[in-house]
Amino acid sequence: PWEESLRSLDALDLAGLNPGKKEVDAARIAAVRTRGKDVSVWTVNDAATVRKLAGWGARRVISDVPDMCLKALGR
């Protein structure tokens, strides 16, 4: 459960969380980022989702098509 992940993030002083794309939304990413931690989301294989997650503050995406991700972000 998400709340348990946040408790572990704090209690274990983790660097961040790596949730699946179906488990995140803007509020959940913000809850992690306000703790000064990173969010890496998996498995993201479409440009629209890459851009949405970046806009929400996700620091990384895990993808089967990394060059598409770079292109979606203008890199």
Side-chain angles (χ1 to χ4, degrees):
W2 189 256
E3 292 303 319
E4 185 176 328
S5 294
L6 290 178
R7 283 191 297 276
S8 295
L9 183 68
D10 295 334
L12 300 172
D13 193 27
L14 302 174
L17 294 178
N18 302 326
K21 68 181 176 183
K22 294 179 182 178
E23 300 169 10
V24 295
D25 57 25
R28 285 182 168 184
I29 290 176
V32 176
R33 300 288 291 149
T34 58
R35 290 169 162 80
K37 307 296 183 168
D38 288 336
V39 179
S40 302
V41 183
W42 55 270
T43 299
V44 183
N45 290 328
D46 67 277
T49 303
V50 169
R51 288 189 293 270
K52 177 176 67 176
L53 292 168
W56 289 349
R59 296 284 301 207
R60 294 170 199 84
V61 296
I62 300 161
S63 177
D64 298 321
V65 284
D67 36 330
M68 176 278 303
C69 296
L70 292 171
K71 187 174 181 181
L73 297 172
R75 297 182 187 167

